[in-house]
Amino acid sequence: EAGVAQSPRYKIIEKRQSVAFWCNPISGHATLYWYQQILGQGPKLLIQFQNNGVVDDSQLPKDRFSAERLKGVDSTLKIQPAKLEDSAVYLCASSAQGVMDSPLHFGNGTRLTVT
Amino acid sequence: DQQVKQNSPSLSVQEGRISILNCDYTNSMFDYFLWYKKYPAEGPTLLISISSIKDKNEDGRFTVFLNKSAKHLSLHIVPSQPGDSAVYFCAASAHNDMRFGAGTRLTVKP
């Protein structure tokens, strides 16, 4: 099966600019996750979708981050405006059901550098 | 809020020897535990997992041990191979809420 696709692979922007990331999950996977991984830390969940509904966005900085999953398939994550501390790898993951039934499959991530 | 901790940022072992990676957690509600392996410029991939009803799960060279009373789990790799060199993330889940440790970079020397 094709894996989770993410684009772009790398992005460099200046602070206060906007940026968007795209994710295409594994076909048929109902659950989609966006994680932020800062250098030297483990992935931190930003938002979880079940189909096109939000399950958990408690750790999403909603003043600058937004995400959507139209039609329950592809998803975009946007940062506006970006701050220096947003420099990280943004990982998208998908699963068929919950974690125990179908573990997360991760994409290769988008490395964001904010200067 | 570090509910999952990997206190060793790095580990170096000789090829053929055993690698032991450790992980501690604080939330007693976690009921499913996973180890992910990550190569540079790639996303993490699931290596092995264990449910809280078990204390051991083995898959070839990889074994995960769970000690619920100590809130501790470990990953044993034996024998270690150079291709095992990667960052290993411990993860724990409760009600589909998964938390990750900071990772341990394993280097297996030929």
Side-chain angles (χ1 to χ4, degrees), chain A residues 45-65:
Chain A
L45 179 68
L46 293 175
I47 189 167
Q48 177 184 345
F49 292 95
Q50 181 77 18
N51 297 308
N52 61 347
V54 175
V55 173
D56 181 0
D57 64 357
S58 57
Q59 299 189 83
L60 186 73
K62 299 180 186 63
D63 58 333
R64 298 184 300 106
F65 286 64

Side-chain angles (χ1 to χ4, degrees), chain B residues 14-27:
Chain B
Q14 207 66 36
E15 181 179 7
R17 305 295 291 269
I18 185 170
S19 296
I20 300 177
L21 293 87
N22 293 301
C23 177
D24 297 292
Y25 61 95
T26 58
N27 188 345

Side-chain angles (χ1 to χ4, degrees), chain B residues 12-13 19 52 58-59 69 72 80 104:
Chain B
S12 181
V13 299
S19 296
S52 60
E58 189 172 354
D59 183 3
S69 61
H72 177 83
S80 301
T104 296

Side-chain angles (χ1 to χ4, degrees), chain A residues 9-51:
Chain A
R9 288 300 310 273
Y10 305 93
K11 190 74 177 178
I12 301 174
I13 62 172
E14 295 183 351
K15 60 183 179 184
R16 291 188 288 274
Q17 285 187 322
S18 302
V19 65
F21 312 127
W22 174 82
C23 173
N24 180 242
I26 292 173
S27 178
H29 279 194
T31 310
L32 185 147
Y33 311 77
W34 282 103
Y35 282 85
Q36 179 193 58
Q37 187 188 358
I38 293 173
L39 186 65
Q41 300 180 20
K44 183 184 85 170
L45 179 68
L46 293 175
I47 189 167
Q48 177 184 345
F49 292 95
Q50 181 77 18
N51 297 308

Side-chain angles (χ1 to χ4, degrees), chain B residues 50-58 63-68 72-74:
Chain B
I50 187 169
S51 165
S52 60
I53 63 174
K54 296 184 176 182
D55 55 17
K56 177 183 175 181
N57 188 24
E58 189 172 354
T63 303
V64 56
F65 295 93
L66 176 63
N67 183 335
K68 290 187 288 294
H72 177 83
L73 67 156
S74 61

